Amino acid sequence: MSRSAWAKRGRSTTSSRSRGATARSGSSRASTRWAASSSPRRRARERTLPRSSPASSRRRQRGSDVALRRVAYYKGCLASLSAKELDSSTQALAPQVGLELVELQAVTCCGAGDIHEAEPDYYLHLNARILAYAEAAGCDTLLTICNVCTLNLRQANWQLKNDDALRQRVSDNLEHVGVPPYSGNVEVRHLLWEIAEGEGYELLKAAAHKGLKGLKVAPFYGCQILRPSKLLGFEDPDRPWSLERIIEACGGEAIDYPAKIKCCGFPIIAAREETALGELIQPIEQAKEAGADALVTPCPLCHLSLDAWQSKLKAATGKDFQMPILHLSQLVGVAAGLEESELKFKRHVVPVTPVLEKLEV
């Protein structure tokens, strides 16, 4: 189905990617001043230079005529730890969809929702630091692969861009510990948005040469990639279209069901497990009843809930769903013919074997 067809179900308001030459030169001058004023000891302690991903390098060595666009890559906590398969599949997929990942080496957690609520000013500094390193790397886009990271970084970025005095205060504070100043010239974008339209979408279609062979895939957006729409603004939060468009571009069948835009229950699982499981069962049960072979999600926290906690659902309800849950980069990656060493399906709790058998992988 074309984007226009999906768009009838919800109007998309896409963020602009480009920045003016004046803004970029201002950012460059600010970074130069920081480099000149910071002591070598401070820089050595605080900053590690970003590096391009190995996958991007391999793509260039193959002599591809695809022009790669440099983006700062922020993988967040889960993709660095319990969801390493998300990082490896993203890095392998990126050059095939026109992205050269400049991995940020000296960044921390975005703070999720916990620090934002408890220490809002500390949260703002955490995220400003990430944005500053992305800008210092010479990138105008910060690529994310987590819904929560996307929301936190976009929210902080909105505050910093719209309040010059606040941005100056935060930059001054961070400069004392060796962080480059932030001029507000970075746009935060999720991988989902990069490949759902424009050049990324066209490259995605070309890359997905293996195809999904009609695999029935239920999209699960979760909540923090859609809401609040004022901050995220890519698509209608009640009628999103991006995952469906990607599934169909890869040769799969997108399965529609009501709970695809609901919360996965992750934020309250420790405090209110029964309520969280009540949220979690809805997308899995509805997708199963609709005939889905697998679910796909753009968020590692949603993936953790949907994949690892199916055992909790079984214990609580007696229902053994055995529903495979794929990361977005894995779904596209398997359609593009990535290797198991890059996809790392064996790291999943619920086996992905039924999906791979249907795809004859």
Side-chain angles (χ1 to χ4, degrees), residues 46 168 237 261 313 333:
E46 178 64 18
Q168 188 62 55
I261 59 173
L313 285 179

Side-chain angles (χ1 to χ4, degrees), residues 263-270 272-273 276-277 279-281 284 300-317 319 321 325 349-350:
C263 178
C264 68
F266 181 88
I268 59 172
I269 188 69
R272 301 170 62 188
E273 182 171 307
L277 293 179
E279 291 290 316
L280 177 63
I281 195 173
I284 296 176
L301 292 171
C302 294
H303 186 279
L304 175 61
S305 300
L306 294 164
D307 182 42
W309 295 344
Q310 286 188 45
S311 58
K312 288 181 178 287
L313 285 179
K314 182 180 178 181
T317 67
K319 297 180 179 180
F321 293 104
I325 313 296
V349 176
V350 177

Side-chain angles (χ1 to χ4, degrees), residues 2 14 26 30 51 63 69 71 78 88 93 121 157 159 164 186-187 197 220 298 308:
S2 66
T14 308
R51 56 182 172 83
R69 182 167 62 91
V71 296
L78 258 69
S88 62
L93 176 66
D121 199 53
N157 206 25
Q159 290 179 259
D164 292 342
V186 170
E187 189 71 24
E197 64 176 7
F220 182 76

Side-chain angles (χ1 to χ4, degrees), residues 202-356:
E202 296 303 320
L203 291 171
L204 161 71
K205 290 192 294 182
H209 62 282
K210 293 283 187 179
L212 295 178
K213 302 177 182 178
L215 189 75
K216 296 180 179 180
V217 183
F220 182 76
Y221 289 87
C223 47
Q224 295 192 37
I225 195 69
L226 298 172
R227 303 177 184 85
S229 56
K230 178 181 178 181
L231 287 171
L232 296 162
F234 183 77
E235 54 195 325
D236 187 326
D238 296 316
R239 288 176 290 276
W241 51 266
S242 57
L243 280 174
E244 286 89 342
R245 192 173 194 230
I246 290 169
I247 292 167
E248 293 182 354
C250 291
E253 178 184 345
I255 301 298
D256 194 28
Y257 64 107
K260 67 183 180 182
I261 59 173
K262 292 181 68 68
C263 178
C264 68
F266 181 88
I268 59 172
I269 188 69
R272 301 170 62 188
E273 182 171 307
E274 184 178 352
T275 302
L277 293 179
E279 291 290 316
L280 177 63
I281 195 173
Q282 294 180 53
I284 296 176
E285 188 169 52
Q286 289 179 17
K288 191 83 170 181
E289 291 175 352
D293 298 312
L295 266 78
V296 64
T297 179
C299 181
L301 292 171
C302 294
H303 186 279
L304 175 61
S305 300
L306 294 164
D307 182 42
W309 295 344
Q310 286 188 45
S311 58
K312 288 181 178 287
L313 285 179
K314 182 180 178 181
T317 67
K319 297 180 179 180
D320 188 11
F321 293 104
Q322 288 295 300
M323 174 65 74
I325 313 296
L326 307 182
H327 296 288
L328 173 61
S329 53
Q330 288 179 317
L331 180 80
V332 179
V334 75
L338 296 186
E339 301 292 333
E340 163 58 26
S341 60
E342 298 165 320
L343 297 169
K344 299 186 187 299
F345 285 127
K346 293 179 181 178
R347 293 180 56 86
H348 291 220
V349 176
V350 177
V352 185
T353 308
V355 170
L356 301 180

Side-chain angles (χ1 to χ4, degrees), residues 77-157:
C77 299
L78 258 69
S80 302
L81 300 168
S82 61
K84 292 181 180 179
E85 69 278 5
L86 173 57
D87 176 43
S88 62
S89 56
T90 298
Q91 296 218 33
L93 176 66
Q96 298 198 36
V97 292
L99 300 174
E100 178 185 349
L101 304 185
V102 180
E103 187 171 350
L104 302 179
Q105 298 296 302
V107 290
T108 60
C109 174
C110 70
D114 304 297
I115 294 179
H116 185 202
E117 291 183 11
E119 297 286 347
D121 199 53
Y122 180 44
Y123 144 84
L124 190 61
H125 282 73
L126 277 179
N127 286 271
R129 183 175 179 274
I130 298 166
L131 292 163
Y133 277 123
E135 189 176 77
C139 301
D140 60 9
T141 299
L142 177 61
L143 186 78
T144 57
I145 51 175
C146 171
N147 292 7
V148 177
C149 295
T150 304
L151 176 58
N152 274 282
L153 284 160
R154 284 183 69 89
Q155 184 165 256
N157 206 25

Side-chain angles (χ1 to χ4, degrees), residues 34 38 42-43 45-47 129 133 171-180:
W34 166 77
S38 298
R42 179 181 295 168
R43 293 200 303 273
R45 181 180 68 246
E46 178 64 18
R47 186 184 183 206
R129 183 175 179 274
Y133 277 123
S171 287
D172 288 346
N173 290 340
L174 291 175
E175 196 165 2
H176 284 303
V177 292
V179 179

